[in-house]
């Protein structure tokens, strides 16, 4: 069973009582509580945490599957470089997150090794309220043609929802 749209206030006790799972795979995004309470959320049911670094407090005692964000940034740069573009940019997450910083830094470093700079989106880390409009105003200011790595695909979807992505993508390609 998949439980979506959970938050820190989700009543996991009720879910466990209803479904009586033999194991849990939990996507542990930024909303997830600190490591010690995570262990209490699921009682004695074994669980695997996705996207949660077990290292910060050292008390996170469960199996974890984490993204290699540095490798993701390097791969994004490799793909962009293979397109033969001359200008590159990185649009960071709407909130400051360690995974985003790691990915951004690896992306920039890989581009630098090949002699290219990387413009950074000045609206990153400033909240979600008007993120799509900030991004839509920034992209046209970049030199053409350029490649942009967007921290989360959701931000591109938000641009599409306001009808701007197609126009921006066509302009970027010119």
């Amino acid at each position: 069973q998949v439980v979506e749209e959970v938050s820190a206030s989700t009543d996991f006790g009720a879910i466990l009582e209803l479904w009586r799972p033999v194991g849990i795979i939990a996507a542990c995004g930024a909303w997830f509580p600190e490591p010690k309470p995570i262990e209490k959320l699921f009682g004695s049911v074994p669980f695997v945490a996705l996207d949660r670094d077990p290292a910060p407090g050292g008390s996170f005692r469960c199996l974890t599957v984490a993204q290699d964000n540095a490798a993701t940034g390097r791969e994004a740069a490799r793909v962009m470089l293979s397109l033969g573009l001359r200008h590159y940019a990185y649009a960071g997450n709407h909130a400051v997150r360690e995974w985003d910083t790691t990915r951004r830094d690896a992306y920039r470093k890989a581009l630098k090794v090949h002699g290219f700079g990387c413009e950074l989106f000045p609206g990153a880390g400033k909240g979600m309220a008007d993120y799509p409009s900030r991004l839509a105003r920034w992209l046209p200011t970049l030199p053409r043609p350029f490649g942009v790595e967007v921290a989360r695909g959701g931000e591109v979807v938000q641009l599409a929802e306001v009808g701007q992505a197609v126009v921006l993508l066509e302009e970027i390609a010119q």
Side-chain angles (χ1 to χ4, degrees), residues 16-34:
L16 293 173
E17 187 176 320
L18 175 66
W19 289 331
R20 301 195 185 281
V22 296
I24 296 170
I25 299 173
C28 300
W31 68 268
F32 222 74
E34 290 306 309

Side-chain angles (χ1 to χ4, degrees), residues 12 14 18 20 31 39 54 57 61 64 71 73 96 106 119 129 132-133 141 152 155 160-161 164:
F12 289 103
L18 175 66
R20 301 195 185 281
W31 68 268
E39 295 168 349
R61 291 185 283 274
T64 61
V96 177
E119 297 282 335
S133 61
T141 69
R152 294 172 21 135
E155 279 78 16
E161 288 172 353
Q164 298 169 342

Side-chain angles (χ1 to χ4, degrees), residues 8-61:
S9 62
T10 299
D11 185 353
F12 289 103
I15 293 170
L16 293 173
E17 187 176 320
L18 175 66
W19 289 331
R20 301 195 185 281
V22 296
I24 296 170
I25 299 173
C28 300
W31 68 268
F32 222 74
E34 290 306 309
K36 201 166 187 178
I38 290 174
E39 295 168 349
K40 295 178 181 179
L41 285 176
F42 305 128
S44 62
V45 179
F47 71 99
V48 174
L50 300 178
D51 291 334
R52 188 65 172 201
D53 183 357
S59 65
F60 198 61
R61 291 185 283 274

Side-chain angles (χ1 to χ4, degrees), residues 126-147:
K126 295 183 179 178
M128 195 62 211
D130 62 343
Y131 185 98
S133 61
R134 289 192 313 264
L135 190 57
R137 286 190 305 269
W138 174 67
L139 288 172
T141 69
L142 297 174
R144 305 278 194 271
F146 68 88

Side-chain angles (χ1 to χ4, degrees), residues 35-97:
K36 201 166 187 178
I38 290 174
E39 295 168 349
K40 295 178 181 179
L41 285 176
F42 305 128
S44 62
V45 179
F47 71 99
V48 174
L50 300 178
D51 291 334
R52 188 65 172 201
D53 183 357
S59 65
F60 198 61
R61 291 185 283 274
C62 75
L63 298 173
T64 61
V65 178
Q67 294 181 38
D68 184 342
N69 289 297
T72 301
R74 288 189 301 270
E75 180 62 12
R78 187 193 67 74
V79 169
M80 292 292 183
L81 288 164
S82 75
L83 298 175
L85 302 170
R86 306 292 303 158
H87 306 285
Y88 301 91
Y90 186 87
N93 193 42
H94 65 275
V96 177
R97 299 281 184 257

